[in-house]
Amino acid sequence: MDVDNKFFNVALLIVATVVVAKLISALLIPKSRKRLPPTVKAFPVIGGLLRFLKGPVVMLREEYPKLGSVFTLNLLNKNITFFIGPEVSAHFFKAPEADLSQQEVYQFNVPTFGPGVVFDVDYSVRQEQFRFFTESLRVTKLKGYVDQMVTETEDYFSKWGDSGEVDLKYELEHLIILTASRCLLGQEVRDKLFADVSALFHDLDNGMLPISVIFPYLPIPAHRRRDQARTKLAHIFANIIASRRETGKSENDMLQCFMDSKYKDGRQTTEAEVTGLLIAALFAGQHTSSITSTWTGAYLFRHKEFLSAVLDEQKNLMKKHGNKVDHDILSEMDVLYRCIKEALRLHPPLIMLLRSSHSDFSVTTKDGKEYDIPKGHIVATSPAFANRLPHIYKDPERYDPDRFAVGREEDKVAGAFSYISFGGGRHGCLGEPFAYLQIKAIWSHLLRNFEFELISPFPEIDWNAMVVGVKGKVMVRYKRRVLPVD
Ligand code: HEM
C-alpha cells in the first residue's frame, strides 16, 4: 500500500508538473506575444521593403501617429524595431555591445574602410581604435587643427573676387576636403598628393551606394573602382608613414596620432590600420560637416534676425580680439554655435542609426505601455524624425536657434537623448567638437568678410544620398566687405 501510495504521489507530481508547465507556457507565450510592439501594416513579403524604399522618414511620419513610439517593420526576413523619442531610446544609446551591437549592421563599411579596422574587428579591438580617435581629437590637438583650418579658410576665400555668384554647396564641400586633408591626412597629402588622393576618395565615395548596404561585395563597376582606390590609398599612406618613421618627422595631424597610437599590449598600429582609420575619419566627418555648413548658411540668409545676431557676435569678438581667430575665440561664438546646431537639428545628415539586438529586452513608452523586443531584431532610431518631435521642440519645423539658449534649452528638458544629430551615449560622435570648430571657422570668416544673398530657391533635402544633404545647387551672390566694428 505504501509502495502504491508512493507511485501514486510520484504520478500525481508528474501530472501536476506537466499541467503547471503547460499552464505557465500557455500563460506566458500569449502574454509575451501581447507585449510585442505593433507592426507596420504592409503587403506580405515585400510590402515592408516597399514602404522602407519609399523613404524611411516618410514611413515614420505615417506610422508614428498610428503606432506610437515603438513599432516593428517586417523587412523581408528581418524585423526592424523603431524607437522614437528620448523616452524610449535610452537603451538604444546606452546598451552594452553584447546586447546591442553595431558590427553586423554597419558591416557594409568594411570594404571601404579596409581590413583590420572598426567594423572588421572585435569590439575589444574597436574600442581601442576608438580610443585612438578620442586621443587624436583632444583639446590640445584641436587647438593645432584650428590654426590649420583658419589658414585653409583664409587661403581659399582669398581666391574669390570682390563680388560674384557661386554655388555655396560646391565651395564648402571643396574647402572641407582641403581642411580635412590638412588636419587629418597630413601635410604630404595636402601639399603634394591632393589631386591623386581626392580622386581616390571620390571613387571610395561613389562605391558606397544604397545597394552596397545589402550587397557590399556585389561585382559592379562602382565596387571594383572602390576596391582599386582602396588599394592605391593603402600604398600612398604606407609610403608616407614609412617616410615619417624613417626621418623621425612628426606632425600635428590625425595621421601622426594614429601612427603613434599603441594597443594595450604595446603593439603599434600597422600602416594598413592607420590608413583604414583615416578613411573612417574622413567618411565620418567630411560630408556631414560640409552639409551642415551649407544648411547653416542657407538658414542664416533666410532668417535676417539670426543673421544680424551672428554678425553682432562677430563684431563684439573683433572688438575684443581684433581679427585673430583661434580655438578659444571660436569657443566664444555661442550665437553661431546655436545657429549651426539648429540647422543640424532640422537636417541631421545621418538620418537613421542602427543596432543589432543580441538579447531580449523590454521598453516602456511615455504613456506607460511595455513592449518586449526579441533578440534578433534590428533596432533603429532616426535623428531626422526624432529631432522634430513636437512634444520636445516647440514649433519644431521652425528655424529657431534661440530654443537652445539659456532658459529654454529644449534639447535638454526631455533628457539626454532629445537631440541626437550626433547620436549619443556609448557611441556618440567623437568628432563633434572638431565639426563645430571647423564650421565656425568657415562661417566666422565668411561673415566677417562678405555680404551674401541667396539667389536660388531655398534648398530641398536630397533624401536619396547615403549621407542626406542638400539637393542641387545653392547659388549665392557675394560682395566682399570688412565687417564694420563700431
Ligand atoms: C556635423 C558633423 C557630424 C555629424 C552630424 C556626425 C554624426 C555622428 C553620429 C550620428 C554618430 C553616431 C552613429 C551611431 O550611433 O550609430 C557619429 C559617430 C562617430 N563620429 Fe561623427 N558626425 C560628424 C562629424 C564627425 C567628425 C568630423 C569626425 C572625426 C573627425 C567624426 C567621427 C565619428 C566617430 C569616430 C564616430 C563613432 C563613435 C563610436 O561608435 O563610438 N564625426 N557621428
Side-chain angles (χ1 to χ4, degrees), residues 102 106 130 133 137 254 281 284-285 288-289 292 344 349-350 353 355 420-423 426-431 434-435:
Q102 294 182 314
Y106 294 156
F130 282 144
F133 271 105
L137 293 163
M254 197 177 240
T288 46
S289 300
T292 307
L344 193 50
L350 304 183
L353 310 179
R355 304 285 185 267
I420 54 169
S421 294
F422 288 102
R426 191 170 283 269
H427 294 291
C429 178
L430 299 173
F434 182 100

Side-chain angles (χ1 to χ4, degrees), residues 162-228:
D162 285 342
S163 62
E165 290 177 7
V166 287
D167 174 6
L168 188 67
K169 179 174 120 179
Y170 170 84
E171 296 294 318
L172 296 177
E173 268 168 14
H174 205 67
L175 168 59
I176 280 176
I177 303 174
L178 291 167
T179 325
S181 291
R182 163 105 30 204
C183 301
L184 310 180
L185 308 182
Q187 203 189 351
E188 298 87 337
V189 168
R190 174 65 188 87
D191 294 346
K192 296 195 203 96
L193 298 160
F194 181 70
D196 297 347
V197 169
S198 49
L200 293 171
F201 268 106
H202 191 68
D203 282 349
L204 277 190
D205 232 357
N206 290 343
M208 178 87 80
L209 303 165
I211 186 84
S212 323
V213 177
I214 310 168
F215 302 112
Y217 298 97
L218 199 68
I220 53 174
H223 286 168
R224 257 195 302 280
R225 280 195 295 274
R226 170 198 69 193
D227 297 342
Q228 283 161 1

